[in-house]
Amino acid sequence: MTTAMGAALRRIQLGNALSAFGNGFTVPFLFVYVAQVRDLGSNTAGVVLATFAVAALAVLPFIGRVIDRRGPLSVAVAGAVAAAVGSMGLGLAASEPLVIAAAGVLGAGIAAIQPALATLIVWCSTPITRSRAFATQFFLGNLGLGVGGLLGGLLVDTSAASSFVRLFAIDAVMFLVLGAAVATVRLAKTPVFDDPVPTADEHLGGPGSGWRSLLGDRAMVQLCVLGFVMFFACYGQFESGLSAFAVDVARISPSMLGVALAANTAAIVLAQFVVLKLVERRRRSRVIALVGLVWTVAWCVAGSAGLVPRSQVVGITAIVSAYALFGIGEAMLSPTVAPLVADLAPSSALGQYNSAFALVKQLALAVGPAVGGLMAGAGLYGTYIVTLIVCSLGITALALRLGKWLTAEQDNPLRAVAGAAVPAPRAAASDEVTTAA
């Protein structure tokens, strides 16, 4: 990786961290803001949260092709501007239609940003440095979100709508900072790629960068199935089934849920680079399989809170420990899954693959809370815990199966044969990536 590529990557990572910092000011308080501060009710607040998912699902099937045709820079900048407009709109909107419309713009903007940034990180890294680059992105994003949430909690005042306008204004500014940081990165307008190792075209025996080609890539399809189960079994439960179980069964106070989420963030921040050193030379499929076992233990620990009725100490210990274990698993996935998506993608469809995987994640984040909420509402907590344990064991089984479809270079790029091609962009006469002065 050249010095210029490293400088470009640092700008991208800084912009991403600052946008996560801005998100921390608004994400924890969005439901309360819509339902109570704007006095629009819980139903409208639920519709607003659903609108984020709907907007993302509407955008992601198409954004990958735009990234591959127009480049990730313009898409990331446009997404950042749209997200800034949506965030500021949420802060100023006082009626139900305006709040929902603003949420749709914000959701679409964020949906465009995610695969565009993932593509930029791939362009500014090599197979050897890519795991560390994605781990750094995840670390900085969680750190920024956590710090933003803490500061937002100090500024928020549910009796004054103006305090929330200030929070959303900070969020909007941070999105604009992300857009400005990305806009200063200068990449070749028509990048020329060396072949990834190996490309999906090699698997399929012909060129193609659309959905038909992607769906014909057996390894990518299996990774998407695995990704859906992973996001369903972890992220999709944080704000629905798991939190309901913690309050109703473990009998912990809602305020202690904040402590549990803080434990999750702390585990990620403290363990990320320790975990990276342990896993970056291991086979990716085996690392993901180990995550399934870690999360199996996490769900067993969470379930143990219901074995000792009315014991608040046991409940708090079990739930906080479970959230921390989820964080360790997340730290193991961050240098593993996103780089694997990149190494599976043909050079002409990198944006398409990143967008497809983001779509799978969004689907899981839409289905997961719905299923968890329905099971919690029906009081089926025993069935709920068993279901998530089975899903976690399924992650292990699916990961081991995926490993059979990966080449040695895809499963462990640090052991790749010297001289393996690197999917980094370069101009026709030079492979430099520069940044604006």
Side-chain angles (χ1 to χ4, degrees), residues 161-255:
S162 60
S163 70
F164 284 87
V165 174
R166 184 162 55 247
L167 296 184
F168 282 104
I170 293 171
D171 191 23
V173 169
M174 291 300 103
F175 276 122
L176 293 177
V177 170
L178 169 62
V182 171
T184 61
V185 176
R186 293 289 179 262
L187 301 176
K189 291 184 178 180
T190 309
V192 177
F193 290 83
D194 296 317
D195 290 331
V197 282
T199 68
D201 290 349
E202 293 174 300
H203 288 303
L204 299 173
S209 59
W211 283 100
R212 181 179 301 177
S213 175
L214 188 150
L215 293 174
D217 185 342
R218 186 72 175 270
M220 182 60 185
V221 170
Q222 291 201 30
L223 180 58
C224 285
V225 173
L226 172 59
F228 181 89
V229 178
M230 286 191 300
F231 295 123
F232 174 90
C234 180
Y235 300 98
Q237 304 306 320
F238 276 6
E239 296 179 0
S240 61
L242 182 54
S243 59
F245 176 86
V247 173
D248 293 343
V249 178
R251 300 296 180 184
I252 72 173
S253 65
S255 62

XYZ file of all heavy atoms in Angstrom, residues 161-255:
704
model
N -37.774 20.945 23.174
C -37.520 20.442 21.815
C -36.247 21.038 21.241
O -35.573 20.411 20.415
C -38.703 20.769 20.912
N -35.882 22.245 21.694
C -34.685 22.903 21.165
C -33.417 22.109 21.459
O -32.462 22.148 20.679
C -34.560 24.312 21.751
O -34.460 24.251 23.174
N -33.400 21.371 22.574
C -32.212 20.570 22.884
C -32.035 19.451 21.862
O -30.910 19.093 21.495
C -32.308 19.988 24.291
O -33.306 18.980 24.380
N -33.142 18.911 21.365
C -33.066 17.869 20.345
C -32.698 18.446 18.979
O -32.016 17.788 18.193
C -34.393 17.106 20.276
C -34.585 16.158 21.399
C -35.151 16.577 22.597
C -34.188 14.839 21.285
C -35.321 15.700 23.652
C -34.361 13.944 22.337
C -34.930 14.376 23.527
N -33.150 19.662 18.710
C -32.729 20.322 17.475
C -31.210 20.454 17.465
O -30.552 20.229 16.437
C -33.392 21.708 17.340
C -32.828 22.449 16.126
C -34.904 21.574 17.222
N -30.635 20.777 18.614
C -29.184 20.885 18.719
C -28.513 19.539 18.456
O -27.489 19.458 17.758
C -28.816 21.410 20.109
C -27.340 21.648 20.313
C -27.075 22.562 21.498
N -27.702 22.053 22.735
C -28.700 22.655 23.358
N -29.209 23.779 22.882
N -29.209 22.145 24.477
N -29.078 18.459 19.003
C -28.503 17.130 18.796
C -28.538 16.731 17.322
O -27.544 16.214 16.772
C -29.264 16.095 19.626
C -29.219 16.232 21.153
C -29.957 15.066 21.799
C -27.798 16.305 21.648
N -29.673 16.949 16.675
C -29.783 16.587 15.262
C -28.903 17.485 14.386
O -28.396 17.039 13.349
C -31.241 16.653 14.810
C -32.056 15.474 15.233
C -32.951 15.566 16.292
C -31.911 14.253 14.597
C -33.704 14.471 16.701
C -32.661 13.148 14.999
C -33.555 13.255 16.055
N -28.702 18.731 14.802
C -27.811 19.625 14.058
C -26.372 19.112 14.132
O -25.630 19.139 13.132
C -27.904 21.046 14.614
N -25.954 18.632 15.304
C -24.608 18.060 15.443
C -24.463 16.840 14.545
O -23.448 16.663 13.855
C -24.339 17.685 16.917
C -24.262 18.946 17.784
C -23.055 16.873 17.041
C -24.214 18.657 19.271
N -25.486 15.993 14.533
C -25.467 14.808 13.679
C -25.351 15.198 12.209
O -24.552 14.621 11.448
C -26.743 14.002 13.919
C -26.703 12.619 13.285
O -25.598 12.102 13.043
O -27.780 12.044 13.041
N -26.127 16.198 11.788
C -26.092 16.651 10.391
C -24.707 17.187 10.024
O -24.173 16.890 8.943
C -27.161 17.721 10.161
N -24.115 17.976 10.918
C -22.786 18.526 10.650
C -21.755 17.417 10.504
O -20.873 17.461 9.626
C -22.372 19.504 11.765
C -20.896 19.882 11.645
C -23.230 20.763 11.717
N -21.844 16.393 11.335
C -20.888 15.291 11.255
C -21.029 14.513 9.947
O -20.040 14.022 9.396
C -21.059 14.364 12.453
C -20.631 14.958 13.786
S -18.881 15.447 13.848
C -19.040 17.232 13.666
N -22.254 14.382 9.443
C -22.424 13.758 8.126
C -21.751 14.606 7.044
O -21.115 14.073 6.120
C -23.907 13.581 7.801
C -24.514 12.340 8.389
C -25.600 12.418 9.250
C -24.016 11.085 8.068
C -26.174 11.279 9.790
C -24.577 9.927 8.599
C -25.656 10.028 9.468
N -21.887 15.920 7.153
C -21.241 16.807 6.181
C -19.721 16.725 6.295
O -19.004 16.807 5.289
C -21.715 18.244 6.381
C -23.192 18.505 6.059
C -23.550 19.957 6.360
C -23.500 18.177 4.598
N -19.215 16.553 7.514
C -17.774 16.366 7.699
C -17.317 15.091 7.006
O -16.264 15.052 6.353
C -17.425 16.332 9.200
C -15.976 15.891 9.409
C -17.639 17.706 9.821
N -18.111 14.023 7.142
C -17.797 12.780 6.429
C -17.754 13.025 4.928
O -16.811 12.592 4.241
C -18.842 11.713 6.756
C -18.813 10.442 5.899
C -17.491 9.711 6.056
C -19.986 9.529 6.238
N -18.766 13.715 4.398
C -18.788 13.993 2.967
C -17.581 14.801 2.530
O -16.982 14.527 1.479
N -17.187 15.797 3.339
C -16.030 16.618 2.992
C -14.740 15.799 3.034
O -13.874 15.947 2.172
C -15.938 17.807 3.953
N -14.612 14.923 4.046
C -13.413 14.096 4.151
C -13.281 13.171 2.950
O -12.188 13.010 2.376
C -13.455 13.287 5.449
N -14.400 12.561 2.552
C -14.373 11.660 1.394
C -14.122 12.438 0.115
O -13.390 11.982 -0.779
C -15.697 10.875 1.313
C -15.779 10.089 0.005
C -15.838 9.929 2.497
N -14.700 13.646 0.017
C -14.547 14.439 -1.207
C -13.102 14.850 -1.447
O -12.710 15.113 -2.589
C -15.433 15.682 -1.136
N -12.283 14.922 -0.382
C -10.879 15.316 -0.559
C -9.995 14.165 -1.016
O -8.822 14.372 -1.325
C -10.314 15.869 0.754
O -10.374 14.864 1.775
C -11.075 17.102 1.204
N -10.554 12.953 -1.059
C -9.798 11.808 -1.568
C -9.859 11.815 -3.084
O -10.941 11.932 -3.666
C -10.373 10.490 -1.007
C -9.648 9.291 -1.609
C -10.274 10.462 0.506
N -8.735 11.708 -3.724
C -8.691 11.734 -5.187
C -8.266 10.367 -5.702
O -7.151 9.916 -5.471
C -7.705 12.803 -5.676
C -8.155 14.224 -5.360
C -9.350 14.606 -6.244
N -9.813 15.962 -5.925
C -10.823 16.242 -5.132
N -11.488 15.249 -4.555
N -11.183 17.487 -4.890
N -9.210 9.719 -6.387
C -8.935 8.431 -7.019
C -9.010 8.581 -8.523
O -9.622 9.517 -9.032
C -9.970 7.393 -6.565
C -10.057 7.124 -5.061
C -11.186 6.149 -4.775
C -8.757 6.567 -4.539
N -8.405 7.665 -9.245
C -8.499 7.687 -10.702
C -9.962 7.591 -11.108
O -10.734 6.821 -10.554
C -7.713 6.526 -11.304
N -10.377 8.376 -12.104
C -11.774 8.367 -12.537
C -12.166 7.023 -13.140
O -13.284 6.579 -13.015
C -12.013 9.485 -13.550
C -11.937 10.880 -12.934
C -12.285 11.941 -13.955
C -12.268 13.333 -13.327
N -12.599 14.396 -14.314
N -11.222 6.404 -13.837
C -11.486 5.090 -14.412
C -10.420 4.136 -13.920
O -9.431 3.879 -14.607
C -11.461 5.146 -15.960
O -12.309 6.205 -16.390
C -11.930 3.831 -16.548
N -10.563 3.627 -12.703
C -9.520 2.798 -12.130
C -9.338 1.501 -12.897
O -10.288 0.936 -13.422
C -10.008 2.530 -10.710
C -11.480 2.697 -10.800
C -11.727 3.756 -11.839
N -8.119 1.040 -12.965
C -7.786 -0.235 -13.574
C -7.390 -1.173 -12.450
O -6.522 -0.848 -11.640
C -6.636 -0.090 -14.586
C -6.262 -1.444 -15.164
C -7.030 0.879 -15.689
N -8.021 -2.345 -12.359
C -7.785 -3.254 -11.259
C -6.947 -4.435 -11.705
O -7.090 -4.946 -12.807
C -9.109 -3.803 -10.710
C -9.938 -2.798 -9.995
C -10.766 -1.932 -10.689
C -9.884 -2.713 -8.626
C -11.536 -1.008 -10.018
C -10.654 -1.796 -7.944
C -11.477 -0.941 -8.640
N -6.094 -4.869 -10.800
C -5.531 -6.196 -10.947
C -6.634 -7.173 -10.553
O -7.564 -6.814 -9.852
C -4.326 -6.385 -10.028
C -3.192 -5.442 -10.409
O -2.941 -5.298 -11.606
O -2.578 -4.854 -9.482
N -6.515 -8.423 -10.973
C -7.565 -9.387 -10.674
C -7.581 -9.715 -9.189
O -6.543 -9.973 -8.597
C -7.341 -10.683 -11.466
C -7.601 -10.474 -12.951
O -8.421 -9.597 -13.294
O -6.973 -11.183 -13.739
N -8.744 -9.728 -8.544
C -8.810 -10.238 -7.184
C -8.465 -11.725 -7.170
O -8.367 -12.353 -8.221
C -10.280 -10.018 -6.793
C -10.777 -8.986 -7.755
C -10.010 -9.220 -9.025
N -8.330 -12.320 -6.024
C -7.885 -13.707 -5.925
C -8.895 -14.589 -5.213
O -9.021 -14.523 -4.009
C -6.542 -13.771 -5.168
C -5.386 -13.370 -6.029
C -6.587 -12.903 -3.922
N -9.539 -15.501 -5.961
C -9.857 -15.443 -7.375
C -11.157 -14.691 -7.561
O -11.899 -14.519 -6.614
C -10.026 -16.919 -7.736
C -10.606 -17.521 -6.497
C -10.042 -16.731 -5.339
N -11.471 -14.300 -8.752
C -12.702 -13.547 -8.997
C -13.884 -14.479 -9.161
O -13.751 -15.661 -9.457
C -12.587 -12.695 -10.275
O -12.529 -13.576 -11.400
C -11.370 -11.810 -10.235
N -15.054 -13.910 -8.996
C -16.274 -14.698 -9.231
C -16.375 -15.083 -10.693
O -16.956 -16.102 -11.030
C -17.499 -13.900 -8.810
N -15.805 -14.233 -11.580
C -15.832 -14.577 -13.001
C -15.147 -15.914 -13.241
O -15.547 -16.700 -14.085
C -15.125 -13.492 -13.823
C -15.927 -12.206 -13.851
O -17.102 -12.239 -13.425
O -15.378 -11.188 -14.301
N -14.072 -16.171 -12.496
C -13.369 -17.427 -12.659
C -14.239 -18.599 -12.224
O -14.185 -19.682 -12.786
C -12.071 -17.393 -11.850
C -11.071 -16.381 -12.395
C -9.858 -16.259 -11.499
O -10.025 -15.893 -10.331
O -8.746 -16.540 -11.983
N -15.031 -18.363 -11.175
C -15.934 -19.426 -10.737
C -17.017 -19.686 -11.772
O -17.445 -20.810 -11.976
C -16.605 -19.024 -9.421
C -15.689 -19.062 -8.244
N -15.011 -20.183 -7.862
C -15.351 -18.084 -7.348
C -14.299 -19.934 -6.783
N -14.490 -18.661 -6.437
N -17.484 -18.622 -12.416
C -18.647 -18.747 -13.291
C -18.272 -18.992 -14.737
O -19.108 -19.342 -15.545
C -19.504 -17.475 -13.196
C -20.046 -17.192 -11.794
C -20.738 -15.833 -11.783
C -20.999 -18.274 -11.352
N -17.009 -18.746 -15.076
C -16.568 -19.002 -16.423
C -16.917 -17.921 -17.405
O -16.915 -18.144 -18.609
N -17.203 -16.728 -16.978
C -17.521 -15.649 -17.904
C -17.717 -14.351 -17.182
O -17.861 -14.313 -15.965
N -17.707 -13.251 -17.918
C -17.882 -11.964 -17.279
C -19.308 -11.743 -16.827
O -20.224 -12.388 -17.264
C -17.500 -10.980 -18.386
C -17.830 -11.701 -19.643
C -17.546 -13.139 -19.384
N -19.484 -10.765 -15.952
C -20.815 -10.426 -15.467
C -20.742 -9.793 -14.108
O -20.054 -10.300 -13.239
N -21.438 -8.699 -13.928
C -21.341 -8.004 -12.652
C -22.704 -7.708 -12.053
O -22.801 -6.994 -11.076
C -20.570 -6.685 -12.826
O -21.224 -5.857 -13.767
N -23.767 -8.260 -12.620
C -25.100 -7.982 -12.119
C -25.537 -8.992 -11.081
O -24.777 -9.846 -10.616
N -26.828 -8.911 -10.741
C -27.373 -9.803 -9.729
C -27.330 -11.267 -10.169
O -27.127 -12.158 -9.345
C -28.810 -9.391 -9.418
C -28.886 -8.182 -8.542
C -29.115 -6.904 -8.915
C -28.709 -8.145 -7.126
N -29.097 -6.052 -7.840
C -28.849 -6.804 -6.720
C -28.447 -9.118 -6.159
C -28.732 -6.408 -5.386
C -28.341 -8.727 -4.831
C -28.483 -7.385 -4.467
N -27.482 -11.514 -11.463
C -27.452 -12.905 -11.932
C -26.085 -13.527 -11.663
O -25.984 -14.680 -11.211
C -27.771 -12.963 -13.420
C -27.793 -14.381 -13.986
C -28.150 -14.375 -15.456
N -29.467 -13.774 -15.679
C -29.990 -13.592 -16.892
N -29.308 -13.959 -17.973
N -31.184 -13.052 -17.016
N -25.029 -12.748 -11.920
C -23.675 -13.234 -11.666
C -23.460 -13.464 -10.175
O -22.901 -14.481 -9.753
C -22.656 -12.221 -12.195
O -21.344 -12.606 -11.857
N -23.925 -12.525 -9.356
C -23.736 -12.646 -7.919
C -24.464 -13.874 -7.370
O -23.913 -14.634 -6.572
C -24.234 -11.370 -7.234
C -23.967 -11.208 -5.738
C -23.831 -9.736 -5.377
C -25.085 -11.837 -4.900
N -25.714 -14.071 -7.816
C -26.486 -15.204 -7.327
C -25.931 -16.535 -7.819
O -26.239 -17.592 -7.261
C -27.955 -15.055 -7.746
C -28.697 -13.884 -7.092
C -30.090 -13.737 -7.686
C -28.781 -14.088 -5.580
N -25.123 -16.478 -8.876
C -24.478 -17.691 -9.363
C -23.174 -17.996 -8.659
O -22.565 -19.043 -8.893
N -22.725 -17.078 -7.809
C -21.493 -17.278 -7.049
C -21.843 -18.042 -5.779
O -22.343 -17.478 -4.809
C -20.867 -15.914 -6.733
C -19.508 -16.030 -6.054
O -19.210 -17.116 -5.520
O -18.757 -15.040 -6.063
N -21.572 -19.325 -5.761
C -22.000 -20.201 -4.656
C -21.432 -19.729 -3.318
O -22.140 -19.727 -2.299
C -21.554 -21.634 -4.964
C -22.051 -22.678 -3.965
C -23.527 -22.926 -4.128
N -23.996 -23.997 -3.260
C -24.035 -25.271 -3.604
N -23.626 -25.657 -4.816
N -24.490 -26.185 -2.765
N -20.169 -19.341 -3.314
C -19.550 -18.917 -2.056
C -20.211 -17.649 -1.526
O -20.473 -17.522 -0.323
C -18.052 -18.692 -2.259
N -20.516 -16.698 -2.410
C -21.134 -15.449 -1.977
C -22.550 -15.690 -1.466
O -22.963 -15.096 -0.463
C -21.144 -14.435 -3.119
C -21.732 -13.078 -2.740
S -20.822 -12.292 -1.386
C -21.850 -10.839 -1.104
N -23.286 -16.553 -2.131
C -24.641 -16.866 -1.682
C -24.599 -17.496 -0.290
O -25.382 -17.136 0.603
C -25.349 -17.796 -2.679
C -26.659 -18.308 -2.095
C -25.617 -17.065 -3.995
N -23.674 -18.419 -0.079
C -23.565 -19.041 1.242
C -23.141 -18.023 2.293
O -23.615 -18.069 3.441
C -22.566 -20.195 1.192
C -23.061 -21.378 0.385
C -22.351 -22.671 0.746
O -21.911 -22.869 1.872
N -22.237 -23.564 -0.220
N -22.265 -17.080 1.926
C -21.868 -16.037 2.865
C -23.050 -15.141 3.216
O -23.200 -14.717 4.368
C -20.726 -15.205 2.271
C -20.207 -14.054 3.146
C -19.708 -14.583 4.499
C -19.096 -13.298 2.428
N -23.909 -14.871 2.252
C -25.097 -14.054 2.516
C -26.060 -14.769 3.456
O -26.629 -14.148 4.366
C -25.796 -13.701 1.201
S -24.941 -12.434 0.228
N -26.258 -16.072 3.261
C -27.109 -16.843 4.171
C -26.519 -16.821 5.577
O -27.223 -16.589 6.571
C -27.256 -18.295 3.673
C -27.988 -19.148 4.713
C -28.004 -18.326 2.343
N -25.209 -17.031 5.651
C -24.524 -16.983 6.941
C -24.664 -15.605 7.577
O -24.932 -15.482 8.785
C -23.041 -17.330 6.740
C -22.108 -17.165 7.936
C -22.558 -18.026 9.106
C -20.671 -17.508 7.536
N -24.499 -14.544 6.762
C -24.622 -13.186 7.274
C -26.007 -12.909 7.829
O -26.148 -12.264 8.878
N -27.036 -13.396 7.152
C -28.402 -13.187 7.639
C -28.585 -13.814 9.020
O -29.141 -13.189 9.928
C -29.421 -13.781 6.662
C -30.852 -13.577 7.086
C -31.545 -12.436 6.706
C -31.503 -14.518 7.869
C -32.861 -12.232 7.105
C -32.816 -14.325 8.281
C -33.489 -13.182 7.893
N -28.104 -15.038 9.193
C -28.246 -15.712 10.489
C -27.455 -14.970 11.557
O -27.918 -14.799 12.694
C -27.798 -17.183 10.384
C -27.902 -17.870 11.746
C -28.636 -17.928 9.364
N -26.249 -14.497 11.208
C -25.433 -13.770 12.177
C -26.120 -12.501 12.652
O -26.216 -12.238 13.863
C -24.073 -13.415 11.560
C -23.112 -14.577 11.418
S -21.443 -14.039 11.001
C -21.713 -13.178 9.447
N -26.593 -11.692 11.721
C -27.210 -10.425 12.103
C -28.551 -10.646 12.806
O -28.923 -9.881 13.692
C -27.376 -9.535 10.870
C -26.069 -9.113 10.270
C -25.774 -9.404 8.941
C -25.134 -8.434 11.019
C -24.566 -9.027 8.378
C -23.920 -8.049 10.470
C -23.627 -8.348 9.147
N -29.261 -11.689 12.416
C -30.521 -12.027 13.084
C -30.266 -12.425 14.535
O -30.997 -12.019 15.450
C -31.217 -13.168 12.343
C -32.457 -13.687 13.018
C -33.698 -13.130 12.738
C -32.396 -14.727 13.941
C -34.851 -13.595 13.361
C -33.540 -15.196 14.569
C -34.763 -14.629 14.279
N -29.226 -13.219 14.758
C -28.985 -13.794 16.081
C -28.328 -12.831 17.050
O -28.304 -13.099 18.255
C -28.119 -15.049 15.949
N -27.814 -11.715 16.569
C -27.131 -10.771 17.459
C -27.755 -9.392 17.367
O -28.597 -9.020 18.185
C -25.646 -10.726 17.131
S -24.681 -9.595 18.177
N -27.382 -8.629 16.369
C -27.830 -7.238 16.264
C -29.357 -7.132 16.214
O -29.934 -6.182 16.746
C -27.251 -6.589 15.005
C -25.744 -6.562 14.961
C -25.033 -7.522 14.265
C -25.025 -5.564 15.614
C -23.652 -7.507 14.210
C -23.650 -5.533 15.573
C -22.955 -6.516 14.866
O -21.599 -6.493 14.829
N -29.993 -8.087 15.571
C -31.438 -8.034 15.410
C -32.201 -8.251 16.704
O -33.429 -8.086 16.725
N -31.499 -8.617 17.789
C -32.182 -8.904 19.053
C -31.915 -7.860 20.141
O -32.578 -7.853 21.172
C -31.749 -10.285 19.574
C -31.973 -11.415 18.597
C -33.403 -11.480 18.088
O -34.353 -11.273 18.835
N -33.562 -11.746 16.794
N -30.933 -6.990 19.922
C -30.527 -6.062 20.977
C -31.673 -5.182 21.461
O -31.809 -4.919 22.649
C -29.374 -5.186 20.488
C -28.020 -5.841 20.625
C -27.907 -7.152 21.039
C -26.874 -5.144 20.346
C -26.670 -7.773 21.166
C -25.624 -5.742 20.476
C -25.524 -7.058 20.888
N -32.477 -4.670 20.519
C -33.490 -3.693 20.890
C -34.898 -4.288 20.951
O -35.866 -3.561 21.072
C -33.465 -2.514 19.901
C -32.159 -1.740 19.930
C -32.140 -0.601 18.943
O -33.150 -0.413 18.229
O -31.122 0.110 18.868
N -34.999 -5.606 20.860
C -36.336 -6.210 20.923
C -36.344 -7.366 21.909
O -36.543 -7.171 23.110
C -36.765 -6.678 19.521
O -35.875 -7.660 19.022
N -36.130 -8.582 21.424
C -36.273 -9.761 22.260
C -35.340 -9.793 23.459
O -35.761 -10.112 24.576
N -34.064 -9.470 23.256
C -33.107 -9.553 24.351
C -33.401 -8.520 25.436
O -33.334 -8.821 26.635
C -31.683 -9.387 23.820
C -30.566 -9.501 24.861
C -30.672 -10.808 25.640
C -29.197 -9.382 24.198
N -33.715 -7.289 25.025
C -34.026 -6.265 26.021
C -35.318 -6.605 26.766
O -35.420 -6.394 27.985
C -34.134 -4.892 25.352
O -35.138 -4.894 24.350
N -36.323 -7.152 26.053
C -37.567 -7.556 26.711
C -37.310 -8.693 27.686
O -37.842 -8.712 28.811
C -38.596 -7.976 25.663
N -36.495 -9.659 27.301
C -36.135 -10.761 28.186
C -35.430 -10.238 29.434
O -35.696 -10.683 30.560
C -35.228 -11.748 27.440
C -34.716 -12.873 28.286
C -35.467 -14.028 28.469
C -33.477 -12.777 28.904
C -34.990 -15.061 29.261
C -32.992 -13.814 29.691
C -33.755 -14.947 29.876
N -34.527 -9.278 29.240
C -33.772 -8.728 30.369
C -34.691 -8.053 31.381
O -34.503 -8.197 32.594
C -32.731 -7.729 29.854
N -35.678 -7.330 30.889
C -36.578 -6.598 31.788
C -37.623 -7.528 32.406
O -37.875 -7.485 33.617
C -37.247 -5.432 31.037
C -38.310 -4.770 31.918
C -36.205 -4.407 30.609
N -38.227 -8.388 31.594
C -39.354 -9.203 32.065
C -38.923 -10.448 32.835
O -39.601 -10.862 33.781
C -40.223 -9.628 30.881
C -40.933 -8.446 30.229
O -41.003 -7.389 30.872
O -41.404 -8.597 29.087
N -37.815 -11.059 32.406
C -37.387 -12.320 33.026
C -36.242 -12.095 34.013
O -36.291 -12.550 35.160
C -36.974 -13.350 31.951
C -36.480 -14.644 32.606
C -38.144 -13.645 31.032
N -35.187 -11.400 33.574
C -34.059 -11.147 34.466
C -34.374 -10.091 35.514
O -33.645 -9.952 36.497
C -32.841 -10.722 33.656
N -35.463 -9.332 35.286
C -35.938 -8.326 36.239
C -34.918 -7.223 36.495
O -34.774 -6.732 37.609
C -36.293 -8.992 37.587
C -37.364 -10.048 37.506
C -38.690 -9.461 37.074
N -39.751 -10.474 36.996
C -40.973 -10.234 36.565
N -41.300 -9.019 36.189
N -41.884 -11.203 36.503
N -34.197 -6.833 35.449
C -33.280 -5.715 35.603
C -33.994 -4.447 35.161
O -34.947 -4.486 34.374
C -31.966 -5.915 34.808
C -32.200 -5.758 33.305
C -31.365 -7.282 35.099
C -30.915 -5.776 32.503
N -33.554 -3.312 35.658
C -34.196 -2.044 35.338
C -33.802 -1.596 33.937
O -32.734 -1.968 33.432
C -33.778 -0.971 36.343
O -32.394 -0.708 36.238
N -34.644 -0.809 33.271
C -34.285 -0.299 31.945
C -32.963 0.457 31.941
O -32.223 0.415 30.951
C -35.468 0.626 31.605
C -36.622 0.049 32.359
C -36.029 -0.451 33.649
N -32.639 1.133 33.041
C -31.377 1.867 33.094
C -30.184 0.919 33.025
O -29.122 1.270 32.481
C -31.296 2.713 34.370
O -31.335 1.882 35.522
